[in-house]
Amino acid sequence: MSEKKESRDWYKEAVFYQIWVRSFCDGNGDGIGDLYGVYDKLEYVKSLGVDAIWFNPLYPSPNADYGYDISDYCDIHPDYGDLDQFKKVLNKAHELGMKVIMDLVINHTSDEHKWFKESRKGGDDNPYKDYYIWRDEPNNWDSFFEGKAWEFDSLRGQYYLHLFAKKQPDLNMDNPKVREEVKNILRFWLSMGVDGFREDVINFISKKEGLPNGIGFLPVIGSIHNFKDGPHIHEYLAEFRKVCDEYGAVQIGEGPMTTVNTALKYLSGDTKSMDMMFSFDHMTADCLFTEYLHRPFKLIRLKNALSKWQYKLAGKAWNSLYLENHDHPRIISRYGSEKYHRESGTALATAYMFLKGTPFIYQGQEIGMTNIKLSSIDQYVDVSTKNNYIRYHVKDPIEARLHRIHISSRDSARTPMQWDASENAGFTTGKPWFFVNPNYKDINVAAEEERPDGILNYYRACVKLRASSKTLLRGSYKEYEPGNPLIYMYERRLNKTSYIVICSFSGEAIPFILPKGFAGHSAKLMLTNYPRKRKQGEIGILPKKGLRLSPYEAMVIKMKRV
Ligand code: TEU
Ligand code: CA
C-alpha cells in the first residue's frame, strides 16, 4: 500500500459537515448563499470540531435540480463566486485543518451541458454522438422525478434516457470517451487540492445491456434492477479509483436502495472502489422507500436498520452515519418531536454520533432546524416535491395533499440557514431566494451559542467526546434490548473499556431496567442531555432498580468490562 493510500484513512476519525451553499450564507447581498458567505463562516464550521466539509454541487447549473444538473464540471456557478473564490475557501479550510470534498455527479449532466447540446445534433462523425443514451423507441422505465424516463428530442429525432428530471440526461458510461471525461474531471479538482468526492447515485451509472423493460406496477421500483449495480459498475469504478489513488482521495458513494450485501462489493475485497457508502435503510423508519410514502415512525425500524449496517460491516468496511442531508426533511420533525425540540434534537444526535463510522452533520441540523410548512404548492421549488404533488393522490383534498408535502419535501432541508434573530435570520441583507422558516427568532445559531445546554453545544460535546476516545472511534458495536420500542441502547467496546449509549425516544417519562451485566456496576456519566437532572462526569453505581428516563433523555456512560 502506498503512503498516499494510507493517508486516506483520516476519514475514519473525521466528522463531516455538509454545506448546501445556496442556503448557507449570502456574502454579497443578492439573496443567494455563496462562497463569500462560506468563507466568512468557516471559523463557525470549525468551532463544531469537525474535520471535513462536503460541498453539494457548486458547478454552473440551470438549477432544474439545484446543482445536480451540471452544465460545466470544471467551473463554479456564478451565483456562488468563481474558481478563485473557491480556491480561497479551499485554502482557508485547509489552514483551519479541515478537508474538503466535492460532489461528483456523473450519472447525468444538464441538458444544457455542451456535450448534450452537441450530442443532440447526431451525425456519424460527431464525437459526442454516443455520450448519452439515445434510442428510437423508449422502454417502459419511469424516471425518479418526472414521469417516464424517456424524452423525445426533435433535433436528433430520438429519445434520450433520463432517470431523474427531463433536464438531466443520463450519460452513456459504456462509452470509454465518457469515462475519460470523468477521469479528467477528477484530476481537475484533485490537482487543485480537494480531498475527495461524494459520488451521486453512483450505483446507477452502468445500465443493463439492451435496456430491457421493467416489471411490476410500482413506479420506478419495477425497473431499478436494470440500472442499479449494473453489469460493468465495478470495472468503471475501478478506473476512477485508480485516479483517486494517485491523490489519496476519499470516495464516498451515494447508493439509493443499496443493500448491505451490495454495498460490501463497493466497500471491500477486489471490487473495493469506495471508502464509504451512503445507505438509505435507516431513512425509512417513517416511510416506504421515500418520505412521500409516509407511515408512522417506529423506533424498532430505525434500530434494525442501524444495527444491520453496524453488524454486517464490522471488520469488513466502514460506515457513514447521517440523519439529515439536502434530500430529506428535518430529523426532529420526523424521528423526534418539535414539542420536545431540544430534548429530541440532542437525543437524536446521541443516537447516531456514537455509532461506529464517520458522522455527517448537515447544515442547520446542529441547531435543530425543523420542517417548513408553506401554504401552497406553488411556493415549493424542488422538482421531486412538485412531481409528487402533481402525480400522486390527486383526488385527495388539497389539505391532505399539502400535508404529504409538508412532511416529505426536500425543500425543508433547503430553507436558509438560521444565523440570528435579525431579518431573514441573518442569512442575507437582500431578499432571500427561498422562504426562511418563521421559527428563526427562536431557532438560530446566535441564540444557541447562548444556551450551554442547547442543541448546538451538545453537538460540539458529541464531536469532542467521540474524538477523545479510541473506544468510540474503533470499538465494536453491540445493541441491547432490540425489541424495546421506546429505547435505543448500544455498547461500544474496545478491550475492557465500554461506552454505553442510552436514548429514549419517548415523549413521556419512562422506567428502564438496565440489562444484566450493567446494573450494580460502577460507571461514569460522560454525556447527558439533562444536565440539571444528572451530573456529567459523576461516577456512580448503576442502579438495580433501574433508571427513570425523562422525555427523550439520552446519556453516554463509560465503564470497565470484564
Ligand atoms: O439523490 C438520489 C436519490 O435517490 C434521491 O434523489 C431521492 O430519489 C429523492 O431524494 C427522493 O425524494 C441524489 C442527490 O442527492 C439528489 O439531490 C439529486 O436530486 C439526485 O441524486 C439526482 O442527481
Ligand atoms: Ca450571494
Side-chain angles (χ1 to χ4, degrees):
M1 214 191 265
S2 76
E3 219 174 287
K4 275 203 169 143
K5 252 188 174 170
E6 277 172 51
S7 69
R8 183 194 260 151
D9 259 13
W10 61 264
Y11 70 86
K12 292 187 179 167
E13 298 200 351
V15 176
F16 279 72
Y17 189 74
Q18 182 192 345
I19 296 182
W20 200 79
V21 74
R22 196 171 194 81
S23 287
F24 190 60
C25 180
D26 176 18
N28 65 359
D30 67 356
I32 299 172
D34 51 44
L35 290 170
Y36 311 102
V38 169
Y39 187 89
D40 290 342
K41 294 294 185 188
L42 284 177
E43 283 86 0
Y44 166 75
V45 175
K46 182 67 196 174
S47 82
L48 303 172
V50 304
D51 313 275
I53 296 171
W54 152 28
F55 284 112
N56 286 107
L58 299 172
Y59 320 99
S61 159
N63 283 335
D65 187 18
Y66 288 98
Y68 284 90
D69 48 323
I70 297 172
S71 53
D72 183 350
Y73 285 94
C74 297
D75 205 349
I76 294 293
H77 197 305
D79 283 352
Y80 306 148
D82 54 21
L83 277 171
D84 276 343
Q85 185 57 24
F86 175 74
K87 285 178 199 161
K88 283 187 188 147
V89 167
L90 180 65
N91 289 340
K92 184 171 169 186
H94 282 164
E95 277 160 26
L96 289 167
M98 294 184 290
K99 311 269 189 195
V100 171
I101 68 163
M102 299 294 270
D103 217 305
L104 181 77
V105 189
I106 52 168
N107 179 68
H108 43 266
T109 69
S110 164
D111 64 343
E112 296 181 34
H113 194 290
K114 182 189 119 193
W115 302 336
F116 190 72
K117 288 191 196 156
E118 290 299 319
S119 195
R120 290 181 63 204
K121 296 178 188 160
D124 282 343
D125 51 0
N126 177 351
Y128 298 99
K129 181 175 158 250
D130 296 322
Y131 265 45
Y132 295 84
I133 301 174
W134 294 98
R135 289 291 179 276
D136 292 330
E137 292 299 328
N139 65 16
N140 71 353
W141 297 0
D142 292 308
S143 78
F144 283 84
F145 287 169
E146 277 185 299
K148 286 292 165 195
W150 296 88
E151 190 68 12
F152 186 72
D153 180 68
S154 52
L155 186 63
R156 172 133 170 176
Q158 281 188 305
Y159 293 84
Y160 65 86
L161 176 71
H162 64 91
L163 288 182
F164 291 88
K166 289 177 190 163
K167 282 180 72 62
Q168 292 172 299
D170 279 49
L171 280 165
N172 175 16
M173 209 51 75
D174 296 331
N175 181 346
K177 278 194 257 171
V178 171
R179 302 202 298 279
E180 283 313 310
E181 299 277 10
V182 171
K183 289 177 229 172
N184 288 337
I185 297 164
L186 295 173
R187 288 196 186 97
F188 178 84
W189 293 101
L190 291 172
S191 59
M192 198 183 296
V194 312
D195 302 286
F197 299 95
R198 173 270 188 192
E199 306 186 6
D200 193 60
V201 293
I202 201 67
N203 54 342
F204 291 177
I205 63 168
S206 164
K207 277 81 176 170
K208 201 176 263 180
E209 209 172 309
L211 311 178
N213 274 334
I215 39 155
F217 50 90
L218 275 177
V220 187
I221 308 294
S223 44
I224 198 155
H225 61 280
N226 290 313
F227 54 80
K228 188 170 96 62
D229 313 310
H232 301 289
I233 184 80
H234 296 296
E235 282 161 54
Y236 299 164
L237 292 183
E239 292 181 27
F240 306 153
R241 183 69 168 179
K242 231 171 128 192
V243 177
C244 288
D245 278 349
E246 289 164 25
Y247 297 83
V250 164
Q251 291 179 279
I252 309 164
E254 188 221 21
M257 312 211 198
T258 284
T259 62
V260 192
N261 291 334
T262 51
L264 279 168
K265 297 222 171 88
Y266 294 76
L267 294 171
S268 60
D270 292 348
T271 49
K272 176 173 170 131
S273 57
M274 296 289 151
D275 300 294
M276 294 183 269
M277 287 290 273
F278 282 123
S279 63
F280 286 66
D281 282 353
H282 69 291
M283 296 313 278
T284 56
D286 66 351
C287 62
L288 273 166
F289 303 116
T290 156
E291 283 88 349
Y292 184 74
L293 300 174
H294 180 77
R295 52 183 177 167
F297 170 70
K298 279 220 165 78
L299 177 63
I300 299 260
R301 280 199 283 258
L302 176 64
K303 299 200 297 181
N304 280 345
L306 293 174
S307 286
K308 180 163 82 185
W309 283 78
Q310 290 287 306
Y311 288 133
K312 293 222 170 163
L313 263 51
K316 295 186 186 140
W318 196 254
N319 269 291
S320 70
L321 312 168
Y322 74 94
L323 291 177
E324 284 191 11
N325 63 36
H326 63 292
D327 286 338
H328 302 282
R330 295 289 183 174
I331 204 67
I332 291 180
S333 306
R334 296 182 64 184
Y335 295 179
S337 155
E338 291 182 12
K339 178 175 165 211
Y340 289 104
H341 180 257
R342 187 197 70 82
E343 293 80 0
S344 69
T346 48
L348 284 159
T350 319
Y352 93 105
M353 292 277 297
F354 299 109
L355 294 169
K356 186 167 188 171
T358 298
F360 287 71
I361 302 169
Y362 177 63
Q363 69 186 43
Q365 179 186 340
E366 79 279 20
I367 56 168
M369 282 177 64
T370 60
N371 287 353
I372 194 166
K373 289 192 178 75
L374 299 173
S375 53
S376 123
I377 190 64
D378 303 327
Q379 297 178 327
Y380 287 85
V381 293
D382 164 40
V383 58
S384 83
T385 302
K386 286 181 175 293
N387 181 62
N388 287 338
Y389 188 86
I390 304 163
R391 282 171 59 87
Y392 307 112
H393 303 100
V394 286
K395 292 195 180 126
D396 287 5
I398 294 275
E399 306 80 71
R401 291 171 69 194
L402 263 181
H403 176 67
R404 288 181 188 278
I405 297 302
H406 288 157
I407 57 180
S408 67
S409 177
R410 305 198 295 182
D411 281 333
S412 273
R414 301 172 180 190
T415 62
M417 177 75 180
Q418 294 161 207
W419 292 103
D420 58 42
S422 71
E423 210 185 338
N424 304 323
F427 162 72
T428 178
T429 53
K431 186 179 177 308
W433 77 277
F434 192 51
F435 298 92
V436 176
N437 194 315
N439 65 19
Y440 74 90
K441 293 223 155 119
D442 181 41
I443 301 176
N444 64 65
V445 173
E448 282 288 300
E449 292 284 8
E450 300 303 315
R451 296 171 181 147
D453 306 344
I455 300 176
L456 175 61
N457 283 310
Y458 193 84
Y459 266 93
R460 288 181 172 134
C462 290
V463 173
K464 205 169 155 191
L465 178 58
R466 176 182 178 276
S468 75
S469 157
K470 276 262 163 303
T471 306
L472 289 172
L473 291 171
R474 304 279 170 167
S476 62
Y477 168 90
K478 182 174 177 189
E479 186 187 352
Y480 289 86
E481 309 243 331
N484 190 320
L486 296 175
I487 290 164
Y488 185 27
M489 170 173 175
Y490 61 86
E491 174 181 24
R492 298 291 311 285
R493 179 170 181 176
L494 189 69
N495 303 322
K496 286 184 180 152
T497 306
S498 275
Y499 282 74
I500 320 292
V501 176
I502 300 171
C503 303
S504 166
F505 279 73
S506 169
E508 319 270 323
I510 46 168
F512 181 50
I513 306 287
L514 288 161
K516 270 201 210 108
F518 298 99
H521 289 262
S522 169
K524 183 174 176 185
L525 183 63
M526 304 302 290
L527 193 61
T528 167
N529 65 348
Y530 275 83
R532 271 171 242 171
K533 171 179 169 189
R534 302 191 197 271
K535 211 159 152 232
Q536 203 157 296
E538 195 163 66
I539 299 176
I541 302 293
L542 292 174
K544 291 212 166 105
K545 283 187 309 210
L547 300 164
R548 189 150 185 86
L549 297 176
S550 298
Y552 294 95
E553 182 167 357
M555 63 181 80
V556 180
I557 55 185
K558 183 181 176 183
M559 61 189 283
K560 285 272 168 253
R561 300 275 267 153
V562 274

